[in-house]
Amino acid sequence: MSTHEVTNQAPPLVDYDVYGADAALREGVARYAAPERLAEIDGELGELGRAAGSAEAQHWGELANTHEPVLRTHDRYGNRIDEVEFHPAWHSLMDRAVSAGLTGDAWTRPDGHLRRAAGFMVWSQAEYGHGCPVSMTHAAVPALRTDPALAEQWVPLLTSRSYDFGLRAPQRKRGVLAGMGMTEKQGGSDVRANTTRAEPLAADGEYALTGHKWFCSAPMSDVFLVLAQAPGGLTCFVLPRVLPDGSRNTFRIQRLKDKLGNRSNASSEIEFDGSTWAQRLGPEGRGVPTIIEMVAATRMDCVLGSTSLMRQALAQAAHHAAHRSAFGGPLVDKPLMRNVLADLALESEAATATALRLASAFDADTAPEREFRRLAVAVSKYWITKRCPVVAAEALECLGGNGYVEESGMPRLFRESPLNSVWEGSGNVNALDVLRVLAREPQVVEVFLAELRLAEGSDRHFDAALKELLTELADPAELETRARRVVERLALLLQASLLLRHAPAAVADAFCLSRLGGDRGSTFGTLPTGLALAAIVDRTRPAV
């Protein structure tokens, strides 16, 4: 019937190069990569970008979220097995992530953190939920390296490019996945309130654990870093799912969490019954300092993940606007829609610039760069993860009713968007971490401020905002009450400094005027007149 003819609908954003279409990401990689390795890195990321944008990978993402993980506590004979079943699409996503080096390259290759950060941002745009075990496997490595013997046993398997799913003795596997068990019902982020007990066994460094973990993501993993109360205080332990003799360790999965988003990823509640075997990692009573490097790496991935989600939401919105006509022409050419898209693009590019700067600090690993990332990771984790939900919501609205239906993929992006602000410390936890640094580590603050000052004199709004920040930092009164305000200023100035130094003038000027100069409303699409909005939108739009 003629009334069923479909017109004026945007084609699916499919079969495109996620990496090649992202100018900010490509330019950032070129900025920080060693020149002699840039062609190799670009080639790898381009291959991954084309895979992420393919119809096949997008279908994997749909299937992995439609067919959610299933808990199997017992086998058909009544034996306790505590296994999680996943749809084959999940395994396809994981296989590609691991084989692309997203679990190990940061620790094994030159420019490894940069390669891996860019790759994580690219591949996560195909599907975000499987990024959780990818992230934790990557992040377990620096914590394990505090014990040479345990590192020798686990790190080669964790950094392997082989995805080898299934609970078997580690020595029989080509690669393994890692998880983390920190939070408990009564404590949440206050891990020092943990009640899980660790009783020393006869062999040195071996313990039996009794207790629970309230949130344990990816319980199908091969090994976990967990916190428990040993005789000497809160301590970090390495807990394998399968023991060296091939028998199952006691790891009771009580249920899988029914979550807002992140549906493809299995998050669980688990119990240790007194026979759960674990090895101590680091001294007794030093659990938090031991696991803190894992926390820092997963916080970094919260930044990467939110940046990835924002970029994909923006790409979908810009693509739709380029192909949808209304009121006599393409939406992308309408001044008000262009304002909205440009505003979203500023948020996405600022996040991308920040994420890659952090990755470069991990690669350099000098004392000043360690001090910079000590503050910058917490600041960026707080701010970028909080910007993600509002970006996702506005991008969804750009598609109108088409964006509200599941087939568009936008509802899944929106449901994922709050996760990173909750995971690895909510906003208040990260803000308080920043306050501790401000109060106790003046050298870290000076390194961070030195990074900001690299853009001093480039923009009057930036200079005025930096001066206001220094005044605010000098006032200790009710600092905890003002913590979120201070962290927001730190984050915006870091982003502005990076954009002023590295982004096109149209992007940097618009960001500073709207985010620091105050010439903007309370929602997206309220940028002032006189800015090069068309150039900002054209820079960010996938050419599909």
Side-chain angles (χ1 to χ4, degrees):
M1 296 175 61
S2 61
T3 56
H4 288 184
E5 182 182 357
V6 178
T7 61
N8 196 27
Q9 291 285 344
L13 179 55
V14 67
D15 291 329
Y16 77 109
D17 183 351
V18 170
Y19 177 67
D22 192 341
L25 182 58
R26 286 186 287 103
E27 291 168 11
V29 169
R31 181 159 58 248
Y32 296 115
E36 67 273 15
R37 288 191 284 271
L38 179 58
E40 175 192 15
I41 295 171
D42 264 342
E44 292 176 346
L45 292 173
E47 181 182 355
L48 189 62
R50 290 184 291 275
S54 69
E56 181 180 45
Q58 292 185 25
H59 189 48
W60 289 343
E62 294 168 6
L63 290 173
N65 283 271
T66 301
H67 304 280
E68 298 177 16
V70 176
L71 172 61
R72 305 295 187 196
T73 57
H74 296 78
D75 67 13
R76 58 182 291 199
Y77 303 106
N79 299 306
R80 189 85 192 222
I81 56 173
D82 295 288
E83 294 184 0
V84 181
E85 292 181 2
F86 293 86
H87 190 273
W90 164 273
H91 296 297
S92 297
L93 290 162
M94 286 295 301
D95 187 38
R96 188 56 191 255
V98 173
S99 65
L102 303 187
T103 50
D105 271 13
W107 315 111
T108 60
R109 302 182 71 187
D111 291 321
H113 286 279
L114 180 67
R115 293 174 192 253
R116 192 257 172 192
F120 191 86
M121 287 190 282
V122 164
W123 185 244
S124 294
Q125 293 184 53
E127 199 281 326
Y128 187 72
H130 76 290
C132 180
V134 170
S135 176
M136 292 190 296
T137 301
H138 152 79
V141 171
L144 283 162
R145 283 179 170 172
T146 62
D147 185 309
L150 288 171
E152 183 179 4
Q153 177 184 352
W154 289 107
V155 169
L157 292 169
L158 291 167
T159 56
S160 166
R161 282 191 168 210
S162 296
Y163 176 61
D164 192 358
F165 185 80
L167 296 179
R168 301 188 303 281
Q171 64 268 25
R172 293 174 48 207
K173 301 194 70 173
R174 293 174 289 114
V176 300
L177 301 176
M180 181 195 300
M182 292 177 60
T183 60
E184 298 184 3
K185 303 169 195 172
Q186 74 288 341
S189 296
D190 184 10
V191 295
R192 295 192 183 279
N194 282 9
T195 61
T196 297
R197 302 191 314 276
E199 301 293 338
L201 299 174
D204 183 45
E206 298 183 8
Y207 292 72
L209 304 189
T210 305
H212 74 277
K213 294 297 172 184
W214 186 231
F215 264 94
C216 178
S217 284
M220 74 293 172
S221 299
D222 299 279
V223 62
F224 293 81
L225 268 60
V226 302
L227 294 178
Q229 298 288 356
L234 191 65
T235 303
C236 187
F237 295 91
V238 177
L239 190 162
R241 282 296 315 269
V242 179
L243 301 173
D245 64 4
S247 63
R248 299 281 180 97
N249 204 359
T250 305
F251 189 96
R252 303 297 190 223
I253 305 176
Q254 302 302 309
R255 64 167 176 163
L256 300 185
K257 297 285 193 179
D258 188 7
K259 299 168 294 184
L260 167 67
N262 206 239
R263 309 289 293 191
S264 68
N265 178 44
S267 299
S268 64
E269 298 168 24
I270 60 172
E271 297 281 349
F272 310 136
D273 73 350
S275 63
T276 303
W277 182 86
Q279 292 175 285
R280 190 183 70 242
L281 180 64
E284 283 193 3
R286 298 288 294 168
V288 172
T290 300
I291 208 170
I292 199 67
E293 284 298 319
M294 186 177 190
V295 173
T298 48
R299 279 187 177 178
M300 172 67 179
D301 277 6
C302 290
V303 174
L304 301 178
S306 290
T307 301
S308 171
L309 288 168
M310 286 194 282
R311 170 59 197 174
Q312 180 57 207
L314 169 63
Q316 293 288 345
H319 174 76
H320 176 85
H323 291 86
R324 178 81 163 179
S325 293
F327 311 111
L331 275 175
V332 73
D333 292 336
K334 303 301 179 184
L336 190 52
M337 178 59 80
R338 185 184 296 155
N339 196 311
V340 171
L341 293 173
D343 216 351
L344 293 172
L346 295 178
E347 209 69 51
S348 175
E349 179 145 357
T352 300
T354 306
L356 295 177
R357 173 64 184 93
L358 294 176
S360 75
F362 278 91
D363 273 328
D365 203 33
T366 61
E369 290 292 81
R370 285 192 294 272
E371 290 170 342
F372 168 72
R373 74 187 194 221
R374 168 72 181 95
L375 184 56
V377 169
V379 165
S380 303
K381 196 274 187 187
Y382 170 86
W383 181 243
I384 291 174
T385 62
K386 287 204 170 298
R387 300 307 292 157
C388 188
V390 291
V391 168
E394 192 68 55
L396 184 154
E397 187 178 327
C398 289
L399 277 68
N402 287 337
Y404 203 69
V405 297
E406 286 293 334
E407 291 94 332
S408 72
M410 299 301 286
R412 175 152 54 92
L413 286 177
F414 183 66
R415 289 192 297 269
E416 292 285 359
S417 63
L419 171 63
N420 288 315
S421 188
V422 176
W423 192 35
E424 293 305 351
S426 62
N428 283 355
V429 171
N430 276 267
L432 292 173
D433 191 22
V434 170
L435 289 194
R436 281 190 290 273
V437 175
L438 295 178
R440 303 175 187 175
E441 302 179 57
Q443 77 284 359
V444 170
V445 179
E446 282 306 312
V447 169
F448 185 90
L449 293 176
E451 177 81 17
L452 302 187
R453 290 190 177 105
L454 293 174
E456 207 165 10
S458 302
D459 181 273
R460 64 187 179 88
H461 302 294
F462 176 84
D463 291 347
L466 180 57
K467 184 178 180 180
E468 290 174 5
L469 171 70
L470 295 175
T471 301
E472 182 124 38
L473 293 179
D475 179 11
E478 298 187 65
L479 194 54
E480 182 171 331
T481 303
R482 295 184 290 116
R484 286 186 171 219
R485 171 188 171 91
V486 170
V487 177
E488 179 176 327
R489 284 174 176 256
L490 289 167
L492 287 172
L493 281 163
L494 175 60
Q495 292 184 327
S497 176
L498 290 166
L499 294 178
L500 284 167
R501 286 179 279 148
H502 305 303
V507 173
D509 292 347
F511 186 90
C512 290
L513 180 59
S514 59
R515 273 64 174 176
L516 302 179
D519 195 353
R520 181 186 186 223
S522 300
T523 61
F524 288 105
T526 55
L527 295 173
T529 58
L531 297 173
L533 301 186
I536 296 171
V537 175
D538 288 344
R539 172 175 168 79
T540 198
R541 192 174 75 208
V544 178

